[in-house]
């Protein structure tokens, strides 16, 4: 059934299964077995890269300056609206394949580059298609409130989402056409204010979606306090979280999805991972893969979390497995090696698991096998011919 049957000492398991036959036995001598990694925040469905904007950022342009000049999200929206569903699906499939080879077995995937009902649904259909046809696990997020569409005010965009987008999503969810798990809003100064964010998130919650949104990234907005109050499952970014917000999230058991790639790329101040951990917040990690932060690799995200956010390697591994699964409402089935959980695991070509974090960008020669639901879905030939050192 694709679930883990036993975990423990080799001799105990050998005795327990001495009569059993297996279709395959993998020799892991000198290797490590880890839970499959969970990427708790990605924007992987889009057309039109933004490599030209990277040069602008390096020359000193801020995120909001690029956004206001028609770049950023608006640039991607324009290209995504023009792309066909098949074009988007092909690119998405390739990106998921790269995530899988970097060890991610469960990925949160957002819409949000449509900003109109037609394109948002096109993106959600692409995500649904991958969920049904690919081995990788997917948690689907409706993020229609990713930016205010051109020609609309934030209030008009909010009304459109509540009156048109969400009823249609509810209908498609009930008919089984599209399975959406989470609702997301970019709560930010000059985007969606706290009141608009509250209205959209509450309306999403009312149709059975988990609240999992962008907050306190560029300006302190009291998003953390809002999320705790609404019973949010998770809030992402949080570079500008208040001390009160940290306490509120810890109390509400609301996960903080920290994105070290974004703070690194945009040269923002780092999220306060240490303070959050000390206050008892459930800290998770995500790659924030999108045209602005082009990173598929959770091992690199863990490395950045350790170096830039001062997390220990143990904390980073927990944040990229069990806590990231919790942020998606899936920690009862994913994120750790326990009997009864889904058999998603990695086999690492090193005698210490820490190599996965220590070797920055080294995952391509370290990840020997990726296993989902007990089936080997990626086998890395290079590991057989080389030691990891």
């Amino acid at each position: 059934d694709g679930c883990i049957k036993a975990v423990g000492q080799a001799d105990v398991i050998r005795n327990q299964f001495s009569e059993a036959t297996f279709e395959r036995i993998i020799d892991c001598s000198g290797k490590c077995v880890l839970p499959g990694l969970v990427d708790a925040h990605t924007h992987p469905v889009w057309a039109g890269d933004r490599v030209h904007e990277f040069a602008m950022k390096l020359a000193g342009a801020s995120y909001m300056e690029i956004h206001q000049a028609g770049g950023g999200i608006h640039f991607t929206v324009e290209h995504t609206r023009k792309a066909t569903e098949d074009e988007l699906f092909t690119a998405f499939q390739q990106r998921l394949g790269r995530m899988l080879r970097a060890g991610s077995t469960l990925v949160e995937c957002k819409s949000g580059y449509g900003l109109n009902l037609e394109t948002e649904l096109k993106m959600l259909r692409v995500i649904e298609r991958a969920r049904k046809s690919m081995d990788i696990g997917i948690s689907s997020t409706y993020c229609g409130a990713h930016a205010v569409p051109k020609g609309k005010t934030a209030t008009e965009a909010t009304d459109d989402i509540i009156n048109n987008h969400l009823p249609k999503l509810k209908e498609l969810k009930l008919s089984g056409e599209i399975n959406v798990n989470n609702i997301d809003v970019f709560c930010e100064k000059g985007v969606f204010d706290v009141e608009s964010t509250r209205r959209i998130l509450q309306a999403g919650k009312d149709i059975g979606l988990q609240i999992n949104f962008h907050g306190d990234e560029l300006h302190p907005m009291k998003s953390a306090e809002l999320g705790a109050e609404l019973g949010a499952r998770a809030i992402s970014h949080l570079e500008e979280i208040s001390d009160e917000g940290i306490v509120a999230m810890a109390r509400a058991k609301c996960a903080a999805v920290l994105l070290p790639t974004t703070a690194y790329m945009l040269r923002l101040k780092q999220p306060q991972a240490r303070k959050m951990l000390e206050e008892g917040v459930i800290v998770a990690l995500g790659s924030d893969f999108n045209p602005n932060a082009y990173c598929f690799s959770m091992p690199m995200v863990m490395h950045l979390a350790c170096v830039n956010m001062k997390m220990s390697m143990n904390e980073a591994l927990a944040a990229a497995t069990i806590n990231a699964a919790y942020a998606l409402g899936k920690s009862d089935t994913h994120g750790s090696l326990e009997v009864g959980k889904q058999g998603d695991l990695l086999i690492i070509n090193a005698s210490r698991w820490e190599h996965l974090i220590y070797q920055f960008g080294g995952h391509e020669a370290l990840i020997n096998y990726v296993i989902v639901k007990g089936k080997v879905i990626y086998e890395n030939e290079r590991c057989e011919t080389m030691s990891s050192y």
Side-chain angles (χ1 to χ4, degrees):
D1 61 1
C3 293
I4 296 170
K5 289 286 169 278
V7 179
Q9 297 295 331
D11 50 354
V12 176
I13 288 183
R14 270 197 202 100
N15 290 337
Q16 193 183 337
F17 291 91
S18 56
E19 305 300 313
T21 55
F22 295 93
E23 81 190 43
R24 183 166 186 186
I25 294 175
I26 299 173
D27 182 357
C28 297
S29 310
K31 298 182 179 182
C32 291
V33 182
L34 292 173
L37 303 177
V38 180
D39 189 340
H41 183 124
T42 79
H43 301 258
V45 182
W46 44 269
D49 68 46
R50 304 209 305 251
V51 68
H52 60 288
E53 287 181 12
F54 188 47
M56 291 163 75
K57 285 191 201 87
L58 296 178
S62 76
Y63 177 87
M64 279 321 248
E65 281 165 358
I66 291 170
H67 184 73
Q68 280 149 5
I73 292 170
H74 291 305
F75 177 87
T76 305
V77 166
E78 205 179 308
H79 287 74
T80 306
R81 284 180 179 177
K82 286 179 192 158
T84 67
E85 202 168 305
D86 283 343
E87 285 167 345
L88 290 174
F89 180 70
T90 302
F92 179 42
Q93 224 178 355
Q94 288 168 348
R95 289 166 192 157
L96 285 175
R98 288 175 73 178
M99 289 175 181
L100 198 62
R101 293 192 292 278
S104 293
T105 54
L106 172 62
V107 179
E108 184 267 2
C109 300
K110 302 177 192 293
S111 71
Y113 292 120
L115 308 186
N116 61 23
L117 181 56
E118 183 195 348
T119 316
E120 288 297 314
L121 290 178
K122 178 169 70 173
M123 294 180 75
L124 290 169
R125 279 196 302 271
V126 165
I127 294 169
E128 184 66 13
R129 211 165 131 187
R131 199 175 68 80
K132 286 181 172 155
S133 65
M134 292 183 74
D135 294 305
I136 195 166
I138 289 176
S139 177
S140 171
T141 302
Y142 163 74
C143 185
H146 195 198
V148 178
K150 286 178 177 172
K152 276 196 166 84
T153 65
T155 307
E156 287 166 345
T158 300
D159 291 341
D160 184 35
I161 287 166
I162 291 169
N163 300 328
N164 300 314
H165 292 215
L166 291 176
K168 187 68 184 169
L169 274 193
K170 185 182 179 181
E171 181 193 314
L172 292 169
K173 207 175 170 191
L174 287 171
S175 71
E177 273 178 73
I178 292 179
N179 182 59
V180 181
N181 307 102
N182 317 289
I183 182 149
D184 191 351
V185 175
F186 187 13
C187 181
E188 184 54 72
K189 193 175 169 183
V191 192
F192 289 91
D193 65 13
V194 170
E195 207 32 58
S196 299
T197 301
R198 177 196 298 277
R199 287 179 58 209
I200 295 168
L201 294 177
Q202 187 58 55
K205 189 179 180 181
D206 292 344
I207 64 163
L209 300 176
Q210 292 182 124
I211 295 175
N212 187 334
F213 72 111
H214 291 61
D216 294 330
E217 179 185 356
L218 305 170
H219 299 92
M221 300 283 292
K222 296 209 181 307
S223 302
E225 291 89 328
L226 172 70
E229 182 198 325
L230 291 176
R233 168 56 68 163
I235 307 170
S236 292
H237 282 293
L238 302 168
E239 287 86 351
E240 297 287 347
I241 192 171
S242 68
D243 291 351
E244 297 74 22
I246 291 176
V247 171
M249 284 182 73
R251 277 204 196 114
K253 293 191 165 48
C254 171
V257 180
L258 305 184
L259 308 168
T261 51
T262 317
Y264 165 74
M265 293 271 307
L266 297 177
R267 297 169 172 157
L268 303 174
K269 74 174 188 193
Q270 295 290 327
Q272 300 177 66
R274 285 261 51 87
K275 189 171 170 65
M276 289 180 194
L277 289 162
E278 281 152 19
E279 295 281 353
V281 176
I282 297 161
V283 171
L285 289 170
S287 67
D288 196 14
F289 172 76
N290 74 73
N292 171 56
Y294 207 105
C295 175
F296 294 108
S297 163
M298 286 304 289
M300 288 175 84
V301 169
M302 289 190 280
H303 179 101
L304 287 173
C306 293
V307 174
N308 290 341
M309 300 195 314
K310 302 182 171 60
M311 290 173 76
S312 71
M313 287 191 282
N314 286 358
E315 287 166 343
L317 182 65
T321 53
I322 191 70
N323 291 2
Y326 175 86
L328 304 177
K330 289 186 178 280
S331 53
D332 53 341
T333 51
H334 294 70
S336 58
L337 303 179
E338 295 179 72
V339 173
K341 284 198 171 184
Q342 190 167 301
D344 291 4
L345 39 131
L346 308 181
I347 298 171
I348 307 291
N349 187 33
S351 57
R352 292 187 55 162
W353 70 266
E354 290 92 342
H355 275 276
L356 194 59
I357 297 178
Y358 162 64
Q359 294 190 22
F360 188 45
H363 61 267
E364 288 182 0
L366 274 170
I367 295 174
N368 199 163
Y369 296 89
V370 179
I371 295 166
V372 174
K373 293 184 183 170
K375 293 259 183 289
V376 174
I377 55 169
Y378 171 60
E379 187 170 343
N380 187 348
E381 307 296 338
R382 270 182 291 188
C383 289
E384 303 313 322
T385 56
M386 62 195 292
S387 91
S388 63
Y389 312 109

